[in-house]
Amino acid sequence: MSNNEELVEEIITTNGDSFEKVKQRLKDRSKKMAQTKEMLSKQANQTKEILSKQAVKIAKQAEEHERFINKVTYLLGVLGFGGFCFLLGARPQDIPYVYCFFYFTFVPLRWIYYRFKKWHYYLLDFCYYANTIFLVDLLLYPKNEKLFMVCFSFAEGPLAWALIIWRCSLVFSSADKLVSVLIHLLPGEMVLLLSGLPCIEHPLSPIE
């Protein structure tokens, strides 16, 4: 009996020692986990601070560039509008060339910009179709009276009313608003010039 009691005591002591060791290991692991959590939280806070500082810098740089672009756009818009008014009075026969330059330059640029902004479905608007039809009439079929009447009705009807309905504003510091105004305004100016002034009757027509 004494031997059995000694074995039981040894088993209890060994089990107690192993239990204490397991407890100590769990405590050590919990401490390590807490330390790692603290380290991760500190790193996360540091990265947040760094990203916030960089975001502020990027925002400031974007504002500075945007202001510079707005200034340049305003200057070019005012000069371009003044030059257009001068040509309209001094050399109205050159206005069709200005219109063709505007269409072949700014419409593709607007497509690229709207494609980047994912606004390219706005280019399916009627005004672009009307401008394209008028350009075809101006360059390819300058003697077609029926097509010219269709273009006249488009320019002096939907396009002219769109300036009022869509509240297109002539903001010189915004290239997008300037292009929107000119897309709706230039066809009306062109058809009035071509129909009212015989001296500039389709200057871009091919030589017969």
Side-chain angles (χ1 to χ4, degrees):
M1 292 295 293
S2 62
N3 292 327
N4 292 329
E5 289 177 356
E6 289 177 357
L7 288 171
V8 170
E9 288 178 357
E10 287 179 358
I11 291 167
I12 291 169
T13 53
T14 54
N15 288 330
D17 293 337
S18 62
F19 184 71
E20 291 294 332
K21 289 179 181 179
V22 170
K23 276 187 176 181
Q24 190 64 32
R25 288 178 183 175
L26 290 173
K27 287 180 180 179
D28 294 336
R29 287 181 181 178
S30 63
K31 287 180 181 179
K32 289 181 180 179
M33 290 291 291
Q35 290 176 357
T36 53
K37 285 182 179 180
E38 288 179 358
M39 290 291 293
L40 290 173
S41 63
K42 288 180 180 179
Q43 290 179 356
N45 291 326
Q46 289 177 356
T47 52
K48 284 181 181 179
E49 289 178 357
I50 292 169
L51 290 174
S52 63
K53 289 180 181 179
Q54 290 181 353
V56 170
K57 288 181 181 179
I58 292 169
K60 288 181 180 178
Q61 290 178 357
E63 287 180 357
E64 291 176 358
H65 289 297
E66 186 177 1
R67 289 176 183 175
F68 177 74
I69 291 170
N70 288 335
K71 290 178 181 179
V72 173
T73 305
Y74 182 83
L75 178 63
L76 295 177
V78 172
L79 293 177
F81 186 74
F84 177 77
C85 292
F86 174 77
L87 287 176
L88 192 62
R91 294 184 60 86
Q93 63 271 18
D94 293 334
I95 297 299
Y97 298 102
V98 175
Y99 175 73
C100 292
F101 173 77
F102 166 77
Y103 185 88
F104 288 116
T105 303
F106 289 98
V107 172
L109 289 176
R110 169 167 273 204
W111 184 86
I112 294 170
Y113 177 70
Y114 276 25
R115 181 70 177 174
F116 175 74
K117 290 285 188 178
K118 295 182 180 180
W119 298 344
H120 49 281
Y121 289 109
Y122 286 108
L123 298 177
L124 298 175
D125 195 6
F126 173 77
C127 61
Y128 298 98
Y129 292 107
N131 277 271
T132 304
I133 292 170
F134 180 67
L135 195 68
V136 169
D137 172 59
L138 188 66
L139 296 176
L140 301 178
Y141 303 101
K143 304 299 182 182
N144 193 331
E145 294 182 358
K146 292 183 179 180
L147 184 59
F148 180 77
M149 291 302 296
V150 171
C151 295
F152 188 92
S153 63
F154 286 166
E156 301 300 332
L159 293 181
W161 277 104
L163 287 168
I164 302 172
I165 294 172
W166 297 116
R167 297 179 181 179
C168 296
S169 54
L170 191 63
V171 181
F172 292 111
S173 60
S174 176
D176 189 53
K177 291 183 178 180
L178 280 174
V179 173
S180 296
V181 170
L182 293 176
I183 282 174
H184 295 88
L185 183 65
L186 284 180
E189 295 287 337
M190 285 295 305
V191 295
L192 287 177
L193 288 173
L194 294 175
S195 61
L197 297 176
C199 62
I200 60 166
E201 184 177 356
H202 288 75
L204 297 180
S205 60
I207 299 174
E208 296 179 356

